[in-house]
């Protein structure tokens, strides 16, 4: 018997041809959802406003300036405001903190008027912020704060 | 002549979803400010008609009892100036509860001002 005549068993394994896989978006969506949840929980969407308390240029590096005489002559009259808990005293009038803006609107030439805020011992940060906010928006020349007033 | 019709693909639902999620993510990244839980819990003073600003670091929390917390860790008053100077921003942002005594908050602010540190009080803008 010839070798070529030997019956042969032929197996045809059906291996499918490799198809290119489509780009899987699901893992990407999962990661982005996790990032979204993180930022939603950790971030604060609050309307912050910043009040400048002490500009850098105003400081004198801790060196207290000593005047030759104790007499200080002001070129322009200073607006004196006494800040108490919930109220502000401007001259002879005592008004509510929220009404300060209306009183300041009647002031002539705020850009040329320096303001001194005297903080009473019971004044809160809210009282100080209300007064400073009203003065900042009306662009007074300068604001000095003195604490611990009775 | 035989006109071949193009096979219409079904719209991909996941692609539309991811677009919306990307937009939401972008919004939160741009509009949000990451704060520590202790900083977020402070009931800040409110102001009216001031411009809106972001809340950058460094953040100094002044507790009503006078305790100072700089960027989440307790700190001494004398160390604050050097820490702020070594950081990228030279402006110190101050968080104080609205009901705290103003004189308690004023003492460290004046101390820092004497050392040449620019300070800003953080408030929440109230809608009129």
């Amino acid at each position: 018997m010839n070798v070529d005549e030997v019956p042969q068993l032929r197996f045809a394994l059906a291996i499918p041809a490799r198809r290119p896989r489509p780009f899987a978006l699901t893992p990407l969506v999962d990661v982005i959802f996790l990032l979204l949840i993180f930022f939603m929980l950790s971030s604060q969407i609050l309307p912050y406003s910043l009040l400048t308390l002490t500009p850098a240029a105003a400081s004198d590096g801790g060196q207290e300036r000593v005047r030759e005489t104790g007499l200080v002559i002001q070129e322009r009259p200073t607006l004196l405001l006494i800040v108490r808990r919930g109220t502000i005293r401007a001259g002879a009038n005592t008004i509510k903190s929220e009404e300060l803006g209306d009183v300041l609107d009647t002031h002539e030439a705020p850009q040329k008027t320096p303001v001194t805020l005297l903080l009473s011992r019971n004044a809160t940060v809210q009282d100080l912020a209300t007064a400073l906010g009203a003065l900042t928006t009306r662009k007074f020349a300068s604001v000095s704060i003195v604490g611990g007033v009775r | 002549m035989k006109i071949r019709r193009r096979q219409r693909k079904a719209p991909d639902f996941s692609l539309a979803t991811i677009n919306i999620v990307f937009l939401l993510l972008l919004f939160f990244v741009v509009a949000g400010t990451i704060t520590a839980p202790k900083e977020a819990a402070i009931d800040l003073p409110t102001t009216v008609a001031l411009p809106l600003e972001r809340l950058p670091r460094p953040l100094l929390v002044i507790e009503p009892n006078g305790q100072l917390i700089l960027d989440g860790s307790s700190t001494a008053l004398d160390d604050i100036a050097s820490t702020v100077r070594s950081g990228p921003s030279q402006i110190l942002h101050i968080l104080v509860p609205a009901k705290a005594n103003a004189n308690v908050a004023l003492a460290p602010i004046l101390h820092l001002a004497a050392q040449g540190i620019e300070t800003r009080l953080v408030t929440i803008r109230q809608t009129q």
Side-chain angles (χ1 to χ4, degrees), chain A residues 25-99:
Chain A
L25 277 173
T26 316
L28 187 66
V29 176
D30 287 346
V31 172
I32 289 166
F33 259 124
L34 286 174
L35 279 170
L36 180 67
I37 290 165
F38 169 75
F39 281 109
M40 278 173 75
L41 294 178
S42 64
S43 63
Q44 296 278 313
I45 302 170
L46 287 172
Y48 290 114
S49 290
L50 304 175
L51 277 171
T52 304
L53 293 173
T54 53
S59 83
D60 49 9
Q63 300 290 314
E64 218 171 284
R65 285 179 194 155
V66 180
R67 292 180 185 276
E68 287 179 8
T69 64
L71 189 69
V72 180
I73 299 164
Q74 293 271 358
E75 287 177 11
R76 292 184 182 86
T78 303
L79 177 64
L80 199 69
L81 300 171
I82 302 170
V83 181
R84 294 183 178 137
R85 186 183 281 259
T87 60
I88 290 172
R89 189 170 172 185
N93 304 321
T94 300
I95 53 167
K96 284 183 181 177
S97 298
E98 301 82 49
E99 294 167 0

Side-chain angles (χ1 to χ4, degrees), chain B residues 31-93:
Chain B
T33 308
I34 295 171
T35 53
K38 211 167 188 179
E39 291 164 354
I42 296 170
D43 181 25
L44 292 171
T46 54
T47 47
V48 181
L50 284 170
L52 288 177
E53 290 183 65
R54 295 201 72 178
L55 191 59
R57 307 260 156 190
L59 272 178
L60 176 71
V61 177
I62 304 175
E63 299 275 10
N65 59 4
Q67 195 195 348
L68 303 170
I69 299 162
L70 183 65
D71 285 340
S73 52
S74 191
T75 185
L77 182 59
D78 295 327
D79 301 335
I80 295 170
S82 57
T83 311
V84 173
R85 281 201 194 95
S86 62
S89 172
Q90 304 295 306
I91 303 165
L92 183 65
H93 298 89

Side-chain angles (χ1 to χ4, degrees), chain A residues 113-136:
Chain A
T113 309
V115 181
T116 301
L117 284 180
L118 300 175
L119 281 182
S120 71
R121 288 186 180 176
N122 64 357
T124 61
V125 175
Q126 178 60 67
D127 299 320
L128 176 63
T130 307
L132 277 176
L135 293 165
T136 306

